């Protein structure tokens, strides 16, 4: 059972439906016990960085998620969920994230329309099982105004071009981040979720 | 590079997809969930559902449709029609929609755009403008499904919508709707060059060439149509292939 961690983010129904369609069981939860008993965790997207961190703190889930990750449980962060992995964010102030990965979150360059909304490509930077059966330059659906910068280069699996290089898929061992919404990215997105499902032992 | 989007639009009444001409002569077309699945498979980049019933019962049936659609497709979709309050928006987003489209309610209560953009994020607030040409280079806004003159200039309203926090604008040209003689390129160009948020062109698509024209640089970021897709006059895979061959950035699914 995959635990989708509910921190008050918007549309989680689409993610549940998408996982179910790939035969992956999931539940939406804030219960510690359910997270401890889960086989993998997903931090979904949509919302503001500060709100998300505050809610997770209030529900006392940050250490639970970190501890489970340290023990080797697969963790997928989607959109804002991925950004929460990093040390800090400049979204409406200066906020501390989980610090699971090195890097910070800042606004997309002012040279392009923000938010970055729509179908954009995945440029593969290195091979990873998470991208199995995904062709180079496949299109996925993005909706975001902030992006990860100053990240560890060896964590970059795929990027996209929008006012500079934006990390699209990052990975450090069993921690995976996707800046786009796989649950809204057609068959490509469903395949990526299935690949994440394969990481669950 | 961001791909241009092809968006089939489904008008839903009493749980069924219907279609009219110039907002009149409504006819039954199909089951919305079945049609949504077909479009998803055909490579549509996004879908739009308009609830064109007014009753409360109709509203609940419509929310069921939204949820059934979310269960079947994995592409973004927008819901509009009869959305008046923050609670209405919350309900459709919870049912599985990604964006909401505001039209008449935003005209009578512009603060709805601002409040909803702050609460749910600009990315999910779409301002839908029904415009009709009144002079050679002048377009007025209409509300209540094109029945009532709003005494608003379409370009000014688009600018105001952007300033209030709308993340995208759909321009429905009433005078070209259902005529299949092409989009109103003058109107689209004027609005696209007046705001810096994405523009979705609607009303008038009849041929593949109409899509090619409206997606050229300086015009629309997405093209919306109903009849030509519902009756399969223009199959989406063929349309996208043609646009791609003509140098338009288009999403393809090679998986």
């Amino acid at each position: 059972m995959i635990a989708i961690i509910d921190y008050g983010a918007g549309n989680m129904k689409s993610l549940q439906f998408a996982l179910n369609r790939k035969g992956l069981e999931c539940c939406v939860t804030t219960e510690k016990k359910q997270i401890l008993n889960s086989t993998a965790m997903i931090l979904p997207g949509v919302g503001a960085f500060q709100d998300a961190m505050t809610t997770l703190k209030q529900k006392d889930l940050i250490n639970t998620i970190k501890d489970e990750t340290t023990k080797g449980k697969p963790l997928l962060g989607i959109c804002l969920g991925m950004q929460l992995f990093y040390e800090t964010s400049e979204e409406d102030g200066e906020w501390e994230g989980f610090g699971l990965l090195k890097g910070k979150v800042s606004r997309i360059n002012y040279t392009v329309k923000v938010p970055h909304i729509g179908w954009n490509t995945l440029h593969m930077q290195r091979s990873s099982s998470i991208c199995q059966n995904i062709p180079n330059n496949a299109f996925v659906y993005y909706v975001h105004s902030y992006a990860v910068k100053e990240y560890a280069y060896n964590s970059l699996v795929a990027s996209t071009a929008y006012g500079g290089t934006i990390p699209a898929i990052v990975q450090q061992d069993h921690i995976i981040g996707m800046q786009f919404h796989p649950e809204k990215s057609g068959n490509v997105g469903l395949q990526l979720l299935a690949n994440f499902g394969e990481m669950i032992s | 590079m961001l791909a241009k989007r092809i968006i089939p639009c489904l008008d839903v009444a009493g749980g069924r997809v219907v279609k009219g001409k110039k907002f009149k002569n409504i006819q039954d077309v199909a089951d919305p969930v079945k049609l949504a699945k077909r479009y998803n498979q055909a490579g549509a980049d996004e879908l739009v559902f308009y609830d064109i019933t007014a009753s409360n019962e109709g509203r609940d049936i419509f929310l069921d449709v939204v949820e059934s659609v979310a269960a079947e497709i994995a592409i973004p979709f927008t819901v509009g029609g009869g959305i008046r309050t923050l609670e209405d928006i919350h309900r459709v987003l919870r049912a599985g929609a990604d964006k909401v489209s505001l039209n008449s309610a935003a005209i009578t209560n512009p603060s709805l755009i601002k409040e909803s953009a702050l609460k749910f994020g600009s990315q999910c607030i779409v301002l839908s403008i029904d415009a009709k040409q009144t002079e050679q280079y002048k377009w007025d806004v209409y509300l209540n499904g094109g029945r009532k003159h709003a005494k608003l200039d379409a370009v000014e309203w688009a600018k105001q919508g952007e300033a209030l926090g709308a993340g995208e604008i759909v321009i429905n040209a009433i005078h070209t709707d259902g005529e299949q003689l092409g989009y109103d390129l003058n109107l689209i160009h004027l609005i696209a060059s007046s705001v810096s948020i994405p523009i979705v062109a609607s009303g008038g698509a009849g041929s593949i060439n109409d899509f090619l024209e409206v997606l050229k640089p300086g015009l629309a970021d997405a093209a919306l149509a109903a009849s030509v897709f519902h009756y399969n006059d223009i199959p989406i895979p063929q349309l996208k292939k043609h646009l791609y061959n003509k140098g338009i950035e288009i999403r393809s699914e090679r998986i």
Side-chain angles (χ1 to χ4, degrees):
Chain A
M1 177 80 81
I2 298 172
I4 301 173
I5 294 154
D6 180 8
Y7 57 86
N11 177 5
M12 276 184 289
K13 216 157 232 172
S14 298
L15 179 59
Q16 285 171 269
F17 285 137
L19 290 166
N20 290 337
R21 282 168 68 186
K22 284 291 158 189
L24 297 165
E25 268 190 273
C26 62
C27 60
V28 175
T29 185
T30 52
E31 301 265 327
K32 238 179 224 183
K33 208 175 144 195
Q34 241 176 338
I35 296 172
L36 294 173
N37 289 333
S38 68
T39 51
M41 302 173 286
I42 299 183
L43 272 173
V46 187
F49 195 96
Q50 179 206 356
D51 286 352
M53 285 307 289
T54 307
T55 308
L56 289 167
K57 253 178 222 158
Q58 276 166 356
K59 296 191 188 291
D60 190 26
L61 292 178
I62 292 180
N63 285 330
T64 309
I65 297 166
K66 275 182 157 175
D67 290 349
E68 288 301 291
T69 308
T70 312
K71 285 182 205 158
K73 192 174 277 185
L75 173 66
L76 170 64
I78 295 173
C79 196
L80 173 64
M82 154 178 160
Q83 296 178 359
L84 297 176
F85 292 170
Y86 290 86
E87 294 161 306
T88 56
S89 168
E90 290 173 355
E91 184 180 339
D92 301 324
E94 172 91 34
W95 310 102
E96 221 175 276
F98 277 63
L100 285 165
L101 301 181
K102 192 198 160 304
K104 65 172 195 177
V105 180
S106 43
R107 200 176 182 281
I108 295 172
N109 288 344
Y110 284 87
T111 52
V112 286
K113 283 187 189 180
V114 173
H116 173 212
I117 304 186
W119 296 90
N120 210 334
T121 44
L122 284 177
H123 303 294
M124 301 303 172
Q125 303 285 351
R126 68 174 167 91
S127 66
S128 163
S129 59
I130 196 72
C131 291
Q132 213 174 350
N133 296 323
I134 305 292
N136 192 24
N137 293 324
F139 279 92
V140 288
Y141 189 76
Y142 296 83
V143 182
H144 62 124
S145 300
Y146 288 78
V148 177
K149 292 179 187 164
E150 296 173 31
Y151 49 90
Y153 182 69
N154 62 6
S155 67
L156 187 66
V157 175
S159 65
T160 195
Y162 194 73
T165 299
I166 288 178
I169 301 179
V170 294
Q171 177 172 21
Q172 188 175 293
D173 305 319
H174 52 282
I175 303 173
I176 310 270
M178 297 182 189
Q179 181 58 71
F180 52 91
H181 287 269
E183 76 278 18
K184 285 288 162 186
S185 296
N187 290 333
V188 172
L190 293 176
Q191 180 65 48
L192 286 162
L193 289 173
N195 292 346
F196 177 68
E198 290 293 317
M199 289 176 65
I200 301 169
S201 49
Chain B
M1 206 171 123
L2 267 181
K4 300 277 183 174
R5 290 168 281 156
I6 298 298
I7 309 178
C9 169
L10 295 79
D11 287 341
V12 179
R16 297 282 296 171
V17 177
V18 295
K19 179 62 199 163
K21 200 176 208 186
K22 287 194 173 176
F23 293 26
K24 287 172 193 144
N25 303 326
I26 309 295
Q27 289 181 347
D28 186 277
V29 177
D31 171 62
V33 180
K34 272 191 195 153
L35 198 53
K37 275 175 84 169
R38 195 184 98 196
Y39 288 143
N40 181 37
Q41 273 159 3
D45 299 303
E46 201 168 312
L47 297 176
V48 172
F49 293 82
Y50 285 123
D51 179 8
I52 63 165
T53 52
S55 65
N56 286 330
E57 299 89 346
R59 190 100 213 125
D60 290 339
I61 296 170
F62 182 73
L63 281 173
D64 288 342
V65 168
V66 171
E67 191 166 338
S68 308
V69 167
E72 295 288 348
I73 65 169
I75 55 172
F77 70 99
T78 304
V79 163
I83 290 172
R84 291 177 192 90
T85 64
L86 291 176
E87 180 53 30
D88 290 341
I89 298 174
H90 191 62
R91 282 172 74 193
V92 293
L93 293 178
R94 273 178 59 104
D98 300 282
K99 310 181 196 180
V100 291
S101 170
L102 305 176
N103 194 324
S104 301
I107 297 170
T108 47
N109 174 24
S111 64
L112 180 63
I113 302 175
K114 190 172 184 177
E115 285 165 20
S116 56
L118 282 174
K119 189 168 170 67
F120 304 103
S122 286
Q123 83 289 340
C124 71
I125 305 301
V126 180
L127 176 61
S128 170
I129 301 178
D130 292 340
K132 195 190 265 181
Q133 190 159 21
T134 48
E135 288 170 37
Q136 194 179 3
Y137 285 105
K138 190 170 169 17
W139 291 262
D140 286 354
V141 179
Y142 279 72
L143 69 169
N144 297 344
R147 288 186 291 271
K148 195 176 158 196
H149 189 210
K151 298 190 179 71
L152 260 176
D153 177 74
V155 179
E156 288 310 313
W157 179 226
K159 285 190 202 167
Q160 204 185 330
E162 178 185 31
L164 287 166
E168 188 164 88
I169 292 179
V170 177
I171 312 288
N172 315 295
I174 300 174
H175 49 290
T176 58
D177 184 65
E179 293 287 287
Q180 305 202 353
L181 294 169
Y183 294 97
D184 185 338
L185 299 179
N186 285 319
L187 172 63
I188 301 298
H189 172 71
L190 196 56
I191 293 186
S193 55
S194 305
V195 299
S196 61
I197 49 180
I199 299 297
V200 182
S202 162
S207 71
I208 283 186
N209 199 48
D210 294 338
F211 288 89
L212 178 63
E213 288 300 323
V214 85
L215 294 174
K216 282 186 174 164
L219 293 163
D221 299 277
L224 182 146
S227 312
V228 292
F229 296 141
H230 295 343
Y231 300 114
N232 215 21
D233 296 337
I234 300 180
I236 293 172
Q238 196 185 320
L239 169 63
K240 291 184 83 172
K241 191 160 186 244
H242 182 81
L243 294 171
Y244 180 82
N245 289 338
K246 292 286 180 184
I248 306 272
E249 186 80 5
I250 282 290
R251 170 181 77 112
S252 63
E253 250 194 347
R254 298 158 298 152
I255 191 164

